[in-house]
């Protein structure tokens, strides 16, 4: 439909019909067998007419059912406006890929795009039009359960991933490609900084900090053309994001020029009354509309009060019309007026959902997301060695992660299933082994197997429900029963490899002296196959942490790109009066960017082609990397920069570029990065994004804690 057609359509709508376009209800209102429920269902008090005129539905999927609902909906809608189906497709639809935090550890943007493309294909043939992904929240505190949905603590890496996901979901134009979907970036803004890592808690930070660290990944998604933005549950400078006009109108609409739909998070409009910035639901509707929220998810403040509000304040009608137009426009952009069923296709759904080709990509993604944290030489497992695979994760299929809505655990490959394909002689137990409270029988069976084996693979971690939404933890160690189990096994076997399933960086106290530690995260449907390949050396691990592992939770939040203090460790002769703890180091246990492989990479001298950078000039920074091992491998060469003197305090290092380098055994290669003035800009106290003349350190190395440095000067 052309723009003037949309305008005419809008003009022909009654007030009720307009307002209904701004309502989003869960699929449970339409179909009996829907599983979606990610928040409290309140008594919404809507009429049958509201329900069958609501502009969008959350959490509906399944081609046949979606077609049925759309058909019924179109029959009932006076003007034949189709309904939009939106859903939480976060890291896969039915083929489940590793959780986003794991994908972040791949540093592989092409693969992330592929993952999103396949997710879009499976979702669209099942009737979904919009996916609530990517989540671009920057995270620094693993107590927060939702770190599993993020790609970590670095603004640049998050921005790259947000862009890759949007491209993968949307393609060039989802209107022209029915196997793509519209993407929704979330949660705008700053949700990753909830105080103390406690879910839904207050966020308090300066505007400058928000801009410098937190906004860039959402904005990258917007630049990539994302169609929808979801608001966050938290406050931004005292005002909940969902009622925050400065955030949504000033920053998002005016500065970022975002023209797509802004949708509230689940129930967040009504929660303005619970935050107590609105005295009642009517005022909540007013605040949200004025702030710029187009669609209200799952509560009915708009449905019940917008008409009355517009009668009292006629200028609101313009805002209302704009919101409705955005909803109609997305429907039109996706081609729903021409074909309301769009990609939904039961036959195709049957054929491509969880097909072999998609499983193959899930396996590749899992392989690239696994991070080898520790290896005293025990890995890869040598041929002919008697191995036991034991512990709560060994036979577990609970490896999809908390956001695998349509994923089915029974379709996942467990570690034991994967391992048996490589070594059918591994010893495994038959007793079910619980993550929190294993039976004495299960533990003693496992300990006996450990006794009879040369090498033990101990599969530990968190069950999936321990991370994700509404799953913050204050103590992020492994459950005590697992630490005790580890001690028992360690006592009788000196060759212990720990494999971890978890949705957050953990405090690894209690298992640090394992001979090898493999971080598997929640690796998705093909997890067991990928893990076996890594453990037995069929695949050389290449994952690099996108989020720091603390030594212990008392250090949290911990992140590599921290600001310098006035009393940093290391420069004062007086050891007492420095920024430190009395009982633990400042450093992370495993820093951002870290990850081992079966290769040994050595870095040579860092050479700059010049030491002075003009505003329009370039410096080439070159370093030689050598693979001094017998294993072909993949190294992620990382470039960081530090601004030595800024107008505001600068981080001690910031990732500015990286290169993933496939290096065959015994070979070396020169890697050259280009440094330009644009990489040196930051937000000043007046919020301007500029660079300062002066000195900078450039640092290159295998991770954020192991770097070689050179200095240059920017002249302006
Ligand atoms: C979550 C969102 C999600 C939405 C819809 C909310 O509770 O915060 O991330 O997209 O529910 O299910
Ligand atoms: C302390 C101040 C104190 C000053 C003079 C500083 O190290 O932070 O609180 O008044 O020394 O002793």
């Amino acid at each position: 439909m052309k723009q003037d057609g949309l305008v005419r359509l809008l003009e022909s709508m009654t007030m009720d019909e307009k307002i209904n376009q701004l309502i989003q209800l869960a699929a449970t209102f339409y179909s009996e067998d829907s599983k979606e429920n990610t928040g409290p269902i309140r008594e919404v008090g809507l009429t049958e007419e509201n329900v069958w005129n609501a502009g969008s539905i959350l959490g509906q999927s399944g081609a046949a059912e979606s077609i049925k609902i759309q058909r019924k909906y179109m029959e009932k809608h006076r003007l034949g406006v189709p309904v939009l189906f939106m859903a939480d497709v976060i890291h896969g639809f039915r083929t489940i890929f590793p959780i986003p935090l794991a994908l972040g550890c791949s540093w592989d943007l092409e693969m992330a795009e592929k993952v999103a493309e396949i997710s879009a294909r499976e979702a669209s043939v099942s009737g979904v039009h919009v996916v609530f992904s990517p989540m671009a929240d920057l995270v620094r505190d693993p107590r927060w359960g939702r770190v599993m949905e993020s790609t970590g603590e670095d603004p640049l890496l998050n921005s790259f991933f947000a862009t890759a996901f949007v491209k993968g979901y949307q393609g060039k134009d989802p209107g022209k490609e029915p196997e793509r979907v519209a993407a929704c970036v979330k949660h705008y803004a700053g949700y990753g900084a909830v105080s103390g890592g406690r879910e839904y808690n207050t966020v308090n930070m300066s505007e400058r900090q928000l801009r410098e660290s937190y906004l860039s990944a959402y904005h990258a998604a917007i630049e990539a053309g994302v169609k929808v933005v979801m608001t966050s549950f938290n406050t931004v400078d005292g005002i909940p994001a969902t009622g925050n006009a400065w955030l949504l109108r000033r920053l998002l609409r005016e500065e970022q020029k975002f023209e797509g739909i802004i949708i509230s998070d689940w129930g967040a409009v009504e929660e303005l009354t619970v935050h107590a910035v609105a005295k009642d639901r009517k005022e909540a509707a007013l605040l949200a509309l004025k702030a710029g929220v187009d669609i209200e998810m799952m509560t009915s403040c708009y449905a019940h009060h917008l008409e009355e509000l517009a009668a009292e304040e006629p200028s609101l009608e313009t805002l209302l019309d704009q919101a409705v137009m955005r909803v109609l426009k997305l429907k039109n952009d996706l081609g729903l007026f021409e074909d309301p069923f769009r990609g939904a296709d039961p036959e195709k759904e049957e054929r491509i959902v969880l097909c072999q080709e998609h499983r193959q990509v899930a396996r590749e993604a899992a392989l690239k997301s696994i991070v080898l944290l520790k290896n005293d030489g025990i890995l890869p497992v040598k041929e002919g060695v008697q191995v036991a695979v034991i512990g709560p994760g060994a036979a577990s299929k609970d490896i999809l992660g908390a956001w695998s809505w349509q994923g089915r655990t029974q379709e996942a490959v467990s570690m034991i299933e994967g391992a048996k394909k490589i070594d059918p002689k591994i010893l495994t137990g038959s007793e079910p082994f619980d993550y929190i409270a294993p039976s004495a029988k299960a533990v003693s069976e496992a300990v006996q197997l450990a006794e009879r084996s040369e090498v033990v693979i101990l599969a530990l971690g968190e069950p999936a429900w321990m991370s994700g939404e509404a799953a913050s933890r204050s103590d992020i160690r492994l459950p005590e029963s697992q630490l005790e189990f580890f001690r028992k096994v360690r006592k009788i076997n000196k060759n212990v490899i720990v494999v971890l399933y978890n949705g957050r960086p953990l405090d690894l106290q209690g298992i640090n002296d394992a001979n090898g530690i493999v971080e598997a995260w929640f690796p998705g449907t093909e997890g067991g196959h990928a893990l076996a390949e890594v453990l037995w050396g069929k695949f050389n691990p290449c994952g690099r942490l996108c989020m720091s592992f603390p030594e212990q939770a008392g250090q949290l939040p911990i992140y590599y790109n921290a600001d310098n203090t006035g009393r940093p460790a290391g420069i004062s002769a007086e050891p007492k009066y420095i920024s430190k703890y009395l009982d633990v180091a400042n450093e992370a246990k495993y820093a951002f960017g870290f990850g081992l492989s079966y290769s040994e990479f050595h870095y040579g001298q860092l050479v700059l082609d010049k030491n002075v950078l003009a505003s329009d000039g370039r410096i080439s920074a070159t370093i030689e990397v050598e693979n001094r091992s017998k294993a072909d491998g993949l190294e992620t060469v990382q470039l960081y920069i530090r601004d030595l003197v800024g107008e505001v305090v600068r981080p001690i290092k910031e990732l500015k570029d990286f290169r993933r380098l496939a290096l065959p055994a015994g070979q070396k290669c020169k890697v050259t990065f280009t440094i330009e003035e644009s990489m040196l800009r930051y937000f000043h106290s007046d919020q301007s994004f500029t660079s300062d003349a002066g000195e900078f350190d450039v640092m290159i190395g295998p991770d954020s804690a192991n770097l070689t440095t050179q200095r240059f000067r920017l002249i302006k």
Side-chain angles (χ1 to χ4, degrees), residues 36 38-39 58 88 132 146 149 186-187 191 230 233 265-266 297 403 469:
E36 187 73 343
T38 63
L58 185 176
D88 285 297
F132 292 134
R146 300 197 83 163
E149 295 176 53
K186 65 190 188 186
H187 309 82
Y191 187 21
M230 188 188 292
F233 288 124
D265 202 347
W266 180 296
M297 186 195 290
W403 253 137
E469 186 172 353

Side-chain angles (χ1 to χ4, degrees), residues 193-251:
V194 285
S195 283
R198 199 186 78 209
E199 182 63 304
Y200 312 130
N201 204 5
T202 302
V203 168
N204 235 329
M205 73 172 82
S206 68
E207 176 183 342
R208 210 192 58 75
Q209 178 58 203
L210 185 70
R211 288 179 185 275
E212 176 155 311
S213 304
Y214 286 82
L215 292 181
S216 48
Y218 313 112
H219 293 172
I222 291 164
E223 238 160 75
V226 78
K227 299 274 187 192
V228 184
V229 172
M230 188 188 292
T231 66
S232 56
F233 288 124
N234 55 277
T235 52
V236 172
D237 199 9
I239 300 178
T242 307
N244 195 319
W246 174 79
L247 185 71
L248 304 182
R249 288 218 184 264
R250 246 305 287 295
L251 289 194

Side-chain angles (χ1 to χ4, degrees), residues 168-366:
Y169 289 129
Q170 297 193 163
K172 281 203 179 64
D173 177 359
K176 300 212 173 73
E177 298 175 75
E179 288 193 4
R180 305 278 185 162
V181 290
C184 167
V185 70
K186 65 190 188 186
H187 309 82
Y188 201 78
Y191 187 21
V194 285
S195 283
R198 199 186 78 209
E199 182 63 304
Y200 312 130
N201 204 5
T202 302
V203 168
N204 235 329
M205 73 172 82
S206 68
E207 176 183 342
R208 210 192 58 75
Q209 178 58 203
L210 185 70
R211 288 179 185 275
E212 176 155 311
S213 304
Y214 286 82
L215 292 181
S216 48
Y218 313 112
H219 293 172
I222 291 164
E223 238 160 75
V226 78
K227 299 274 187 192
V228 184
V229 172
M230 188 188 292
T231 66
S232 56
F233 288 124
N234 55 277
T235 52
V236 172
D237 199 9
I239 300 178
T242 307
N244 195 319
W246 174 79
L247 185 71
L248 304 182
R249 288 218 184 264
R250 246 305 287 295
L251 289 194
L252 187 53
R253 290 258 185 248
E254 286 168 30
E255 271 188 33
Q256 295 305 314
K257 315 224 173 331
F258 177 65
E259 288 175 358
I261 292 176
I262 300 179
I263 185 170
S264 81
D265 202 347
W266 180 296
V269 174
E270 187 169 324
E271 282 162 20
L272 294 172
T273 65
V274 189
H275 273 292
V277 293
K279 65 176 183 302
D280 54 21
R281 289 153 47 98
K282 182 176 167 189
E283 194 178 6
L286 179 67
L287 281 180
L289 185 73
K290 280 194 166 166
V293 173
D294 300 313
I295 298 180
E296 175 181 6
M297 186 195 290
M298 284 308 290
T299 47
S300 53
C301 304
Y302 278 11
H304 288 136
H305 302 290
L306 280 191
E307 182 161 12
E308 192 188 341
L309 282 165
E312 286 166 19
E313 203 178 321
S315 62
L316 291 179
E317 217 171 311
T318 314
L319 297 186
L320 183 97
D321 281 353
Q322 287 169 352
V324 178
M325 184 49 110
R326 285 190 198 104
V327 176
L328 296 178
K329 185 166 181 309
L330 181 59
K331 292 179 177 185
N332 193 38
D333 286 353
L334 290 175
L336 289 174
F337 287 105
E338 284 75 34
D339 176 8
F341 309 110
R342 206 175 170 265
D345 181 339
E347 182 277 319
K348 211 173 194 180
E349 179 183 37
E350 186 63 33
R351 195 157 35 85
I352 69 155
V353 166
L354 198 69
C355 64
Q356 208 42 45
E357 184 200 335
H358 294 181
R359 273 191 177 266
Q360 195 48 43
V361 179
R363 182 168 178 160
E364 187 202 336

Side-chain angles (χ1 to χ4, degrees), residues 39-60:
I41 306 263
R42 296 199 178 87
E43 196 42 69
V44 284
L46 294 176
T47 61
E48 181 74 6
E49 195 188 320
N50 289 133
V51 171
W52 286 100
N53 281 273
S56 54
I57 298 178
L58 185 176
Q60 171 56 45

